[in-house]
Amino acid sequence: GSEQLSIREDLSRCRQLMGYCPQFGGLQTNMTPREHLDFNAMIRGVPQNKRRATVDALLDKMDLKKYANRQAGRLSGGNKRKLSVAIALVGDPPIVLLDEPSTGMDPEAKRFMWGVLSATMAGRCLVLTSHSMEECEALCNRVGIMVNGRFQCIGSLQHLKARFGEGYTIDFRVNDVSMTEDLNDFVSHNLSGATLEAEHGTALSYKCKDVALSEVFDIIESGRARGIFADYSLSQTTLEQVFLRFASKQREEDSNGNIESKQPNTPSDMAYR
């Protein structure tokens, strides 16, 4: 609704309107999923006569009904994450904060989780942290990347790819390896910003920068008409590549407070929906 609350003066009420899924912990090992959800429904202010239906709906939504009365400590890692997300959704809060919601999940469970979250996004603000760019692309319409605790960029997926990406990737396939030299000559003379990234037999991949997309298609189609290659595919910079570009700037403080370089593999990033 249009209710406006102060986080200073109405903290208790604000907490009832926020769902939170921590990255680790948050579960009582000797309590069952049903007990967790019922307890949190009570805290969130769900009326007693609606708590049973609320709990049943969440157990069903997260595919936890068969484990409803099993102690949380005996659940698999994936089901623990499902339960943690279910707790965050109790009471249908307008704000949901998720910290690495799919950590430790197998690919099938992860996609199930994404489907549930996507289906519950309407009418609420969902904020999640993730190191999985695939997860960000699946769930988020706004993404921010943080390096050394500061935002380096924020915007839609397409904006970040266009603003911070490095052009396009063009994959060619020739009919015979003897034609690769002709293809290389064609690319070097017509796509001045293209560099060969990989070559595997009759498949060659180029990175292309500083050429308008419309021009790229015109040039490539002229080459195909001349029979220089059999077919091609063109793809935009991935969010993963944008992420790694910023990750290369990641630095950390040593014990003396000095900034030193860090391997670019674990920057913090935050995605917004």
Side-chain angles (χ1 to χ4, degrees), residues 159-185:
H159 168 73
L160 296 187
K161 290 179 181 180
R163 174 69 177 80
F164 301 104
E166 298 184 349
Y168 316 97
T169 297
I170 310 173
D171 297 308
F172 292 99
R173 184 180 65 84
V174 294
N175 287 322
D176 188 271
V177 291
S178 63
M179 300 175 66
T180 58
E181 186 175 345
D182 290 339
L183 176 61
N184 281 321
D185 288 341

Side-chain angles (χ1 to χ4, degrees), residues 40-51 54 90-92:
N40 281 275
M42 179 175 61
I43 292 175
R44 296 269 176 81
V46 177
Q48 184 173 1
N49 62 344
K50 295 183 179 180
R51 287 213 300 266
T54 296
V90 167
D92 201 26

Side-chain angles (χ1 to χ4, degrees), residues 192-230:
S192 58
T195 55
L196 182 63
E197 294 288 305
E199 181 176 352
H200 304 285
T202 59
L204 294 88
S205 179
Y206 295 83
K207 185 75 71 178
C208 184
K209 298 190 291 185
D210 304 323
V211 182
L213 187 57
S214 59
E215 295 180 20
V216 171
F217 277 113
D218 285 341
I219 293 169
I220 293 177
E221 284 296 334
S222 71
R224 183 163 68 170
R226 291 159 52 190
I228 295 175
F229 51 88

Side-chain angles (χ1 to χ4, degrees), residues 134-147:
E134 186 183 15
E135 183 166 75
C136 293
E137 295 205 65
L139 295 176
C140 305
N141 60 15
R142 297 189 74 213
V143 173
I145 297 176
M146 294 182 72
V147 178

Side-chain angles (χ1 to χ4, degrees), residues 6-7 9-17 43:
S6 167
I7 199 167
E9 299 175 5
D10 306 292
L11 184 57
S12 179
R13 176 64 180 142
C14 287
R15 284 173 171 163
Q16 289 182 333
L17 298 175
I43 292 175

